[in-house]
């Protein structure tokens, strides 16, 4: 199957190439029809180059160098992305060798052989000769580039099992082609200046060097502004768009103008025979110099104009990795002209594999932000400090000015876990506003972090979010649940929300007016006292958008009172005192307001205990602690799209997987007036269990299989609820205020807007850790709990633009063959680790049993002596002596067991490390094999063709020579 995908990918890129070559063929045919002399010159040079074995040697060297640059660097497999970033970096240096090798003989060889005068006597203009020579060199370069492209593409297709981004690879090579066109034209200038091939090669490299090395200007220039101008004039910046899969008009115009200026200089050099040596020779020389300078000035101005006013820009990548979400473009379009945005991004030179894609995405998006802002006439200044050392001046600037410091992360490398430091952060400024992202975690969408930060500094105004104070203590505090003081840290979700909203705690000691907050977040509102609970219900009825998380049995936070449990008193001083259960609000009142039906049964003290949902589905078999009460709400279980996670609401549209633990069910009442949209639903094999059955299962008195009575598929556990607005405002009293009446009507017409989730564990702090580090424990969790919670708040506040950005996922092509090998190795490591642990436990159990057996006889003697001592048959000293001997032997045995345990643990850990090291070495061996084959195999086709050409040429030379002369 993988071979079929590879074949399809190769056919696709061949189709791209065929279309491109047909366009070039059309240009050649047009030249043949209108400029016969130019076509003749092109044909002669092109055939002459490939009729000589030397041409194939250069072609072989070119393919070899491009393959080495693409696949040999450590960064290629470290990034694990099917891109040509490494080749993009080294390509200008390769071209400094290859392009002069093509252009050095363009005119110098004609001079050396004396055929230049013959060409100049042809019935052709100087333009015909120059353009013919140029198109011949361009054709030679195009053929060479096709060899390189096919070899590189084949390697990537095999590594990705055919799922590589064809648009990205083709566009990158299209960029190489444009780079070659510009450098060939410049290299021809060198050839027209000399008749020596060696000098022509050296001059061609020197003339092209400024454009190739312009990106390094900052390292040698004391002026940052001048360095930026020089960098912009080189080939790195215009090529960068192509390297990211973007075809932009400004980049194409840059290369075409540079080539045009160079070709015009070539025409001046070939035409100087008409005016050198004459009486006006010096004047004409200065005249043409002025023309050339004018063209350079025009080129610089045109490039700057088109960069600031992009005519066209298209992302050709299949995964749209260089495209911004529509919401992002709208944000940039609506930026205030008077508030320019400054972004300072800091990226260390060494980025671990897990963060390689994040680094690529960050750099890509920052460049797209800059380009989109220029297109919309907005100002976003991007200062990118890429490849900085951890102890450099740039790193010090990041720490001192913006608080961006090296972050330590743990990674597995060569079979062992090691800690590495990296810098991957950014600071955003606009006026007096400043936002800093210390680290872009690889599990969090980069575009979302960028957009949120830019929006914060650009607007300066945030919406208000009220956090209802309840047993959950999201803002942090102290809990006295269980007669014991417990300090509770602020929930990390609050820090996440505070990046976007003005977050404030609400204790509900007073009523909430509808315009006080843009939304409320209430976690376990059933734990509120009756007065506070009634105020919350009143606020909801008044139209305050509210997110409610109500859990029938909280697991992650033991201090939260379950829906059906009585709320225990906090106690008196130092946790002493006590008292009976504290009054709670009646949650059924809220359910009636929201027109919800929650399956359950009556509980003690007039309370109501909701049933818990169960489901048979675990997409992570390695997560052995998960059971049927862990509800993986997964689109993989849906019989049609949007069944498990609804597509009818932006909160869950586009999401794939959310985990709820010990959650309840919730259904809409029949005949209600409110609109209910199930957001999360269980799978086909699922149902509910009453609270008593769950207690039996948790206590070990029963199993889940015994308690399940039947299935109830597609049980909703989260609802979006809207509606209930009054259509009329009532009649005003004779002595009432019309304005008050109008205001009350407006508030009433807001209607109910609530997100109800029958689980609080869905927002456990652990999910924020998983979101930032989804590949921890090698489980590669794809849980979107945090995204679900943030989407819910955004939907309630009416700010759905962030939902679009948050759900905009970029699809990168990874090296699936290497991934599969890594997964196979990791699976073997897990298997062997379990075997080692089983052997360890078994050996330890046998050792403990042996000790117990040895002590058993001595223990029986002690018990017998104790009985005899009670009868007065044995003196106390004898019993004491035997007890002492027993204790000494027991302590010695336990000490020996502890020593043996420690030795066994070391041996077990060493075996696990050895297995991990072997697995990593196996992966490294595969990578080295790929490197070797990717570099060696592409060289054979041009070498074989070159040998065939050489042999054919030798045979033709010997055809008419007698055998006697051949001896």
């Amino acid at each position: 199957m993988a071979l079929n995908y590879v074949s399809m990918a190769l056919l696709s890129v061949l189709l791209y190439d065929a279309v491109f070559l047909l366009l070039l063929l059309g240009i050649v045919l047009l030249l043949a029809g209108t400029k016969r002399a130019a076509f003749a010159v092109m044909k002669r040079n092109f055939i002459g180059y490939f009729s000589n074995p030397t041409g194939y040697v250069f072609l072989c060297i070119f393919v070899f160098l491009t393959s080495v640059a693409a696949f040999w660097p450590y960064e290629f497999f470290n990034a694990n992305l099917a891109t040509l970033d490494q080749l993009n970096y080294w390509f200008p240096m390769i071209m400094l060798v290859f392009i002069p090798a093509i252009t050095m003989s363009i005119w110098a060889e004609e001079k050396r052989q004396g055929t230049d005068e013959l060409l100049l006597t042809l019935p052709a203009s100087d333009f015909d000769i120059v353009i013919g020579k140029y198109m011949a060199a361009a054709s030679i370069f195009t053929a060479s580039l096709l060899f390189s492209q096919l070899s590189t593409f084949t390697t990537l297709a095999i590594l990705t099992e055919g799922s590589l981004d064809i648009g990205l690879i083709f566009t990158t090579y299209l960029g190489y082609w444009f780079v070659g066109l510009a450098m060939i034209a410049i290299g021809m200038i060198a050839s027209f200046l000399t008749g020596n091939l060696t000098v022509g090669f050296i001059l061609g490299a020197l003339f092209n060097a400024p454009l190739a090395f312009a990106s390094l200007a900052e390292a040698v220039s004391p002026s940052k502004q001048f360095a930026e101008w020089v960098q912009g004039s080189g080939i790195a910046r215009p090529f960068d768009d192509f390297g990211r899969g973007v075809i932009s008009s400004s980049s194409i115009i840059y290369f075409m103008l540079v080539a045009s200026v160079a070709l015009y200089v070539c025409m001046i050099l070939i035409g100087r025979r008409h005016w050198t040596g004459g009486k006006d020779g010096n004047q004409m020389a200065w005249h043409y110099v002025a023309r050339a300078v004018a063209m350079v000035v025009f080129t610089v101005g045109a490039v700057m104009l088109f960069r600031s006013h992009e005519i066209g820009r298209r992302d050709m990548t299949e995964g749209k990795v260089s495209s911004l979400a529509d919401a992002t473009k709208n944000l940039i379009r609506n930026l205030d002209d008077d508030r320019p945005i400054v972004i300072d991004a800091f990226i260390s030179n060494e980025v671990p594999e897990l963060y390689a894609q994040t680094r690529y995405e960050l750099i890509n998006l920052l460049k797209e932000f800059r380009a989109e802002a220029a297109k919309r006439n907005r100002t976003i200044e991007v200062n990118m400090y890429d490849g900085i050392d951890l102890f450099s001046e740039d790193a010090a600037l990041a720490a001192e000015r913006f608080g961006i410091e090296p972050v330590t992360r743990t990674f597995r490398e060569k079979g062992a876990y090691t800690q590495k430091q990296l810098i991957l952060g950014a600071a955003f400024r606009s006026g007096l506003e400043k936002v800093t992202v210390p680290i872009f975690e690889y599990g969090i969408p980069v575009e979302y972090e960028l957009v949120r930060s830019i929006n914060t500094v650009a607007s300066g105004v945030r919406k208000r979010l009220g956090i209802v104070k309840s047993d959950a203590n999201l803002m942090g505090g102290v809990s006295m649940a269980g007669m014991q003081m417990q300090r509770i840290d602020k929930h990390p979700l609050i820090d996440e929300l505070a990046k976007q909203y003005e977050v404030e705690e609400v204790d509900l000691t007073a009523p909430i007016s509808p315009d006080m907050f843009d939304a409320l977040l209430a976690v376990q509102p059933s734990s509120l006292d009756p007065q506070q609970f009634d105020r919350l219900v009143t606020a909801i009825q008044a139209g305050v958008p509210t997110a409610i998380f109500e859990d029938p049995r909280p697991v992650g936070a033991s201090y939260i009172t379950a829906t059906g449990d009585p709320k225990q008193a906090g106690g008196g001083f130092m946790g002493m005192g006590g008292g009976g259960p504290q009054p709670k609000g009646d949650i059924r009142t809220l359910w009636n307001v929201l027109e919800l039906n929650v399956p359950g049964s009556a509980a003690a003290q007039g309370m109501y205990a909701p049933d818990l949902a169960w489901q048979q589905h675990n997409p992570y078999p390695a997560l052995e602690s998960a059971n049927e009460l862990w509800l993986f709400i997964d689109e993989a279980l849906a019989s049609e799209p949007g069944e498990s996670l609804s597509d009818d609401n932006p909160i869950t549209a586009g999401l794939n997987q959310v985990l709820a633990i010990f959650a309840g069910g919730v259904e809409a009442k029949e005949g209600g007036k409110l609109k209910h949209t199930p957001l999360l639903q269980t799978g086909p094999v699922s149902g509910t269990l009453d609270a008593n059955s769950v207690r039996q299962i948790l206590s070990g008195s029963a199993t889940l299989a015994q308690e399940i009575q039947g299935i109830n598929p597609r049980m909703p556990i989260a609802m979006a609820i809207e509606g209930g607005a009054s259509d009329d405002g009532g009649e005003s009293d004779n002595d009432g205020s019309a304005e008050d009446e109008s205001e009350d009507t407006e508030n009433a017409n807001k209607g109910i807007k609530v997100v109800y989730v029958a689980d609080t564990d869905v927002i456990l702090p652990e999910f924020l850790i998983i979101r930032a580090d989804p590949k921890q424990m090698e489980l590669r969790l794809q849980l979107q709990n945090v995204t679900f919670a943030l989407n819910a708040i955004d939907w309630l506040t009416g700010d759905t633009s962030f939902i679009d950005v948050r759900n905009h996922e970029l699809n990168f092509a990874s090296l699936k063959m290497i991934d599969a090998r890594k997964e196979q190795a990791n699976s073997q490591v897990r298997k062997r680790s379990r075997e080692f642990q089983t052997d360890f436990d078994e050996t330890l159990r046998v050792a403990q049993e042996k000790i117990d057996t040895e002590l058993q006889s001595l223990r029986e003697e002690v018990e017998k002596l104790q009985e005899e001592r009670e009868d007065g048959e044995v003196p106390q000293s004898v019993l004491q002596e035997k007890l002492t001997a027993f204790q000494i032997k027991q302590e010695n045995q336990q000490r020996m067991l502890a020593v043996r345990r420690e030795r066994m643990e070391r041996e077990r850990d060493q075996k696990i490390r050895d297995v991990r090291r072997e697995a990593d070495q196996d992966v490294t061996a595969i990578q080295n094999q790929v490197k070797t084959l990717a570099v060696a195999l592409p060289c054979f086709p041009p070498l074989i063709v070159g040998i065939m050409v050489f042999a054919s040429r030798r045979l033709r030379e010997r055809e008419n020579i007698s055998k006697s002369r051949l001896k």
Side-chain angles (χ1 to χ4, degrees):
M1 185 63 71
L3 184 60
N4 292 336
Y5 290 142
V6 172
S7 301
M8 290 299 296
L10 287 173
L11 289 175
S12 298
V13 77
L14 288 175
L15 180 61
Y16 274 74
D17 291 342
V19 173
F20 178 70
L21 291 176
L22 285 175
L23 292 176
L24 296 184
L25 181 61
I27 296 175
V28 172
L29 292 176
L30 180 64
L31 179 69
T34 58
K35 296 287 184 179
R36 294 179 179 272
F39 178 73
V41 171
M42 185 198 79
K43 182 179 177 181
R44 170 177 172 270
N45 279 63
F46 181 79
I47 295 176
Y49 186 88
F50 284 109
S51 297
N52 192 330
T54 307
Y56 293 95
V57 172
F58 278 109
L59 175 57
C60 180
I61 294 174
F62 177 71
V63 173
F64 174 79
L65 291 177
T66 54
S67 298
V68 168
F71 304 114
W72 205 263
Y74 164 79
E75 291 80 9
F76 175 72
F77 286 106
N78 182 62
N80 200 44
L81 297 174
T83 65
L84 297 174
D85 280 2
Q86 288 69 42
L87 179 55
N88 294 346
Y89 177 79
W90 291 105
F91 192 76
M93 275 65 85
I94 295 174
M95 296 291 278
L96 286 180
V97 176
F98 186 65
I99 293 299
I102 296 176
T103 60
M104 65 181 181
S105 60
I106 288 291
W107 195 250
E109 182 69 10
E110 302 284 0
K111 286 184 178 180
R112 188 179 68 85
Q113 295 181 354
T115 55
D116 56 333
E117 294 295 336
L118 179 62
L119 277 176
L120 295 176
T121 58
L122 290 175
S125 64
D126 293 346
F127 174 78
D128 291 339
I129 296 174
V130 170
I131 202 65
K133 291 283 188 179
Y134 177 71
M135 293 192 68
S139 300
I140 294 169
F141 174 69
T142 303
S144 304
L145 206 58
L146 283 175
F147 267 97
S148 173
Q149 184 212 42
L150 291 176
S151 63
T152 302
F153 188 90
T154 302
T155 302
L156 289 176
I158 294 172
L159 286 174
T160 59
E161 297 180 356
S163 62
L164 78 169
D165 195 324
I166 299 174
L168 174 62
I169 305 302
F170 177 80
T171 307
T172 301
Y173 267 89
L174 181 63
Y176 296 157
W177 187 72
F178 275 109
V179 170
L181 294 186
M183 296 183 75
I184 286 172
I186 295 173
M188 284 175 59
I189 297 176
S191 185
F192 276 107
L193 286 174
T194 180
N196 187 292
L197 294 179
T198 304
V199 175
F201 180 89
I202 295 173
L203 289 179
L206 288 176
F207 289 171
N208 278 298
L211 294 183
F213 294 114
S215 58
L216 306 177
E218 193 172 354
V220 296
S221 174
S223 172
K224 183 178 179 181
Q225 187 174 2
F226 177 75
E228 289 178 353
W229 183 85
V230 173
Q231 287 175 337
S233 65
I235 61 176
R237 179 169 177 180
F239 169 75
D240 182 71
D241 285 339
F242 289 103
R244 295 184 294 107
V246 177
I247 297 179
S248 62
S249 59
S250 61
S251 298
I252 294 176
I253 290 171
Y254 169 88
F255 289 116
M256 298 305 293
L257 287 177
V258 169
S260 299
V261 171
L263 289 176
Y264 181 73
V265 173
C266 290
M267 289 186 61
I268 293 175
L269 293 176
I270 197 176
R272 61 184 171 175
R273 68 186 187 281
H274 299 301
W275 44 267
T276 53
K279 63 177 182 179
D280 296 328
N282 290 334
Q283 257 188 342
M284 292 299 295
W286 286 110
H287 173 77
Y288 282 110
V289 168
R291 281 190 180 187
V293 171
M295 286 198 67
V296 171
V297 173
F298 170 78
T299 298
V300 172
V303 169
M304 294 178 64
L305 174 66
F306 285 107
R307 280 182 181 173
S308 58
H309 298 83
E310 191 83 66
I311 298 176
R313 188 178 184 85
R314 183 174 179 81
D315 182 5
M316 299 295 293
T317 61
E318 295 179 357
K320 299 303 176 186
V321 297
S322 296
S323 295
L324 301 177
D326 292 337
T328 303
K329 295 178 181 179
N330 291 333
L331 168 67
I332 295 174
R333 186 184 301 113
N334 296 327
L335 288 176
D336 190 349
D337 292 340
D338 299 329
R339 291 177 62 90
I341 309 294
V342 180
I343 304 175
D344 297 275
F346 299 87
I347 305 169
S348 56
N349 52 1
E350 291 188 9
V351 176
E353 178 182 343
L354 287 177
Y355 286 86
Q357 179 174 316
T358 304
R359 174 189 177 278
Y360 182 87
E361 190 176 343
L362 175 61
I363 295 174
N364 223 18
L365 289 175
L366 284 176
K367 292 175 179 177
E368 284 303 308
F369 270 78
R370 180 170 56 193
E372 184 68 22
K375 181 179 178 181
R376 305 293 181 183
N377 294 321
R378 300 293 184 266
T379 303
I380 296 183
E381 179 184 343
V382 178
N383 301 317
M384 199 176 307
Y385 302 85
D386 188 15
I388 64 176
D389 188 77
L390 296 178
F391 304 100
S392 63
E393 294 183 2
D394 292 335
L397 172 67
E400 294 172 4
R401 189 172 182 183
F402 304 111
I404 300 174
E405 298 183 347
V407 177
T408 303
R409 291 291 184 267
T410 302
F411 307 97
R412 205 182 90 183
E413 191 175 78
K414 296 182 180 179
Y417 286 95
T418 59
Q419 289 187 335
K420 287 187 177 181
Q421 288 188 320
L422 72 149
I423 300 175
L424 193 63
F428 304 80
R429 294 174 288 149
S430 181
L432 299 178
E433 296 288 335
K434 184 174 77 170
V435 171
T436 299
V437 179
I439 175 73
F440 287 90
E441 296 291 357
Y442 73 90
I444 302 176
V446 174
E447 185 177 2
Y448 167 63
E449 290 278 24
L450 294 175
V451 170
R452 181 172 60 180
S453 301
I454 291 175
N455 182 69
T456 301
V457 299
S459 63
V461 179
R462 308 187 190 188
K463 293 189 175 183
R464 297 186 67 195
L465 176 65
I467 309 299
V468 175
K469 183 175 178 59
S470 64
D471 275 5
N473 279 305
L474 294 184
M475 300 293 288
V478 177
S479 172
M480 301 298 295
M483 307 294 291
Q484 186 177 3
M485 180 182 293
Q486 180 179 357
R487 180 169 183 80
I488 303 172
D489 295 328
K490 184 168 67 172
H491 199 293
L493 181 63
I494 300 301
D495 294 328
E496 187 71 18
L497 291 169
K499 296 176 182 178
Q500 183 176 341
Y501 297 101
E502 183 181 341
V503 179
E504 181 180 337
E505 190 172 49
V506 183
D507 59 9
L508 292 176
T509 55
I512 298 177
S513 60
D515 57 350
M516 187 178 297
F517 295 98
D518 294 285
L520 294 176
L521 172 58
V523 177
Q524 208 67 4
S526 64
S527 64
L528 299 170
D529 65 42
Q531 291 78 18
Q532 293 174 327
F533 184 82
D534 291 343
R535 294 188 185 105
L536 176 63
V537 174
T538 301
I540 292 173
Q541 290 176 309
V544 179
T546 307
I548 299 172
F549 293 82
E550 178 67 32
D551 200 329
R553 183 166 291 277
V555 175
S558 59
Y559 48 83
I560 297 180
T561 305
T563 304
D565 292 349
K567 183 177 181 180
Q568 298 298 323
F573 177 71
M574 297 298 288
M576 305 298 289
Q582 299 297 300
K584 292 173 53 177
D586 189 353
I587 191 66
R588 287 168 289 192
T589 305
L590 177 60
W591 293 340
N592 290 332
V593 170
L594 300 180
E595 297 179 359
L596 293 177
N597 180 33
V598 177
S601 57
Q605 301 179 13
M607 296 187 182
Y608 187 84
D611 294 344
L612 269 71
W614 64 269
Q615 173 185 264
Q616 288 186 355
H617 176 61
N618 181 6
Y620 306 101
L623 192 62
E624 298 176 355
S625 59
N627 55 38
E628 285 80 357
L629 294 175
W630 288 42
L631 308 178
F632 290 94
I633 310 301
D634 194 346
E635 270 296 289
L637 295 176
S639 57
E640 59 183 26
E643 188 174 30
S644 295
L645 292 100
S646 175
D647 285 338
D648 297 331
N649 190 288
I651 297 175
T652 48
L655 299 187
N656 295 309
Q657 195 176 90
V658 171
L659 172 60
I661 306 175
F662 286 62
V666 56
E667 299 172 327
K669 286 185 177 180
E670 295 183 2
K673 297 181 180 180
L674 300 178
K675 176 186 177 183
H676 296 78
T677 303
L679 299 176
L680 307 175
Q681 293 189 114
T682 59
V685 184
S686 60
T688 57
L689 291 170
D690 59 59
N692 185 57
S693 297
V694 174
R695 291 192 195 95
Q696 296 292 327
I697 295 170
L698 295 178
S699 65
S701 303
T703 63
L704 186 65
Q706 293 172 338
E707 295 297 327
I708 292 177
Q709 302 299 323
I711 66 171
N712 184 11
R714 306 299 177 189
M715 169 62 69
I717 65 170
M719 284 275 190
I721 307 161
E722 302 175 83
S726 301
D727 294 329
D728 54 16
E731 297 180 1
S732 60
D733 297 334
N734 292 334
D735 55 348
S737 170
E739 294 182 1
D740 293 342
E741 199 70 35
S742 175
E743 183 177 351
D744 291 342
T745 300
E746 181 182 352
N747 291 335
N749 284 337
K750 283 186 176 181
I752 290 175
K753 190 175 185 180
V754 170
V755 173
Y756 185 95
V757 183
D759 186 36
T760 60
D761 298 311
V762 77
I763 56 172
L764 284 175
E766 286 75 11
F767 287 119
L768 282 95
I769 300 175
I770 292 173
R771 178 192 185 218
D773 186 11
K775 296 181 182 178
Q776 60 178 318
M777 301 180 295
E778 300 175 354
L779 291 176
R780 298 180 181 270
L781 302 172
Q782 302 297 319
L783 304 175
Q784 297 171 294
N785 290 46
V786 179
T787 302
F788 169 74
L790 296 176
N791 286 356
I793 300 299
D794 288 351
W795 180 74
L796 290 169
T797 60
D799 195 359
T800 57
S801 59
F802 284 100
I803 297 178
D804 298 334
V805 177
R806 201 179 290 123
N807 293 343
H808 183 222
E809 296 184 2
L810 305 180
N811 299 315
F812 293 89
S814 63
L815 309 181
K816 289 187 176 181
M817 190 182 84
I818 303 299
D819 288 338
R821 190 64 182 176
K822 287 181 179 179
E823 182 57 34
Q824 182 182 351
N826 291 334
S827 177
Q828 185 67 18
V829 168
R830 290 193 294 267
K831 179 182 177 181
R832 296 289 300 278
S833 299
R834 285 195 295 267
E835 292 175 358
F836 294 148
Q837 184 63 44
T838 301
D839 294 342
F840 172 81
D841 295 338
E842 180 63 21
T843 304
L844 200 62
R845 185 188 63 80
V846 172
Q848 185 65 54
E849 289 179 354
K850 183 178 179 181
I851 292 174
D852 293 341
T853 302
E854 293 178 358
L855 293 176
Q856 182 63 29
S857 59
L858 191 57
R859 186 181 291 108
E860 291 175 355
E861 291 181 19
V862 171
E863 292 175 353
K864 184 177 180 181
L865 286 175
Q866 286 177 337
E867 294 176 359
E868 293 177 354
R869 175 70 184 90
E870 292 176 358
D871 297 337
E873 299 177 4
V874 177
Q876 178 67 28
S877 59
V878 175
L879 176 61
Q880 187 63 40
E881 182 180 353
K882 185 60 73 173
L883 283 171
T884 302
F886 176 77
Q887 292 174 354
I888 292 174
K889 186 170 184 179
Q890 186 180 36
E891 290 175 358
N892 288 338
Q893 294 285 4
Q894 291 298 330
R895 192 179 300 111
M896 292 172 61
L897 180 62
V899 172
R900 186 175 182 182
R901 178 199 294 268
E902 185 177 350
R903 185 180 70 253
M904 290 168 56
E905 286 177 348
R906 287 198 303 269
E907 293 175 353
R908 179 200 60 191
D909 295 343
Q910 183 60 46
K911 289 179 180 178
I912 293 175
R913 284 194 294 270
D914 290 343
V915 170
R916 286 174 176 165
R917 183 169 55 253
E918 291 173 2
D920 288 347
Q921 289 174 350
D922 187 23
V923 173
T924 302
I926 295 295
Q927 293 174 348
N928 291 335
Q929 290 178 15
V930 171
K931 288 180 181 180
T932 304
L933 295 175
V935 170
L937 292 181
C939 297
F940 286 103
L943 275 179
I944 293 172
V945 175
I947 293 172
M948 293 173 62
V949 170
F950 176 76
S952 175
R953 184 173 178 179
R954 291 288 294 173
L955 288 174
R956 287 198 306 269
E957 290 174 352
R958 296 157 63 99
E959 280 180 357
N960 299 319
I961 301 176
S962 64
K963 293 182 179 180
S964 60
R965 296 182 60 187
L966 292 175
K967 294 180 180 179

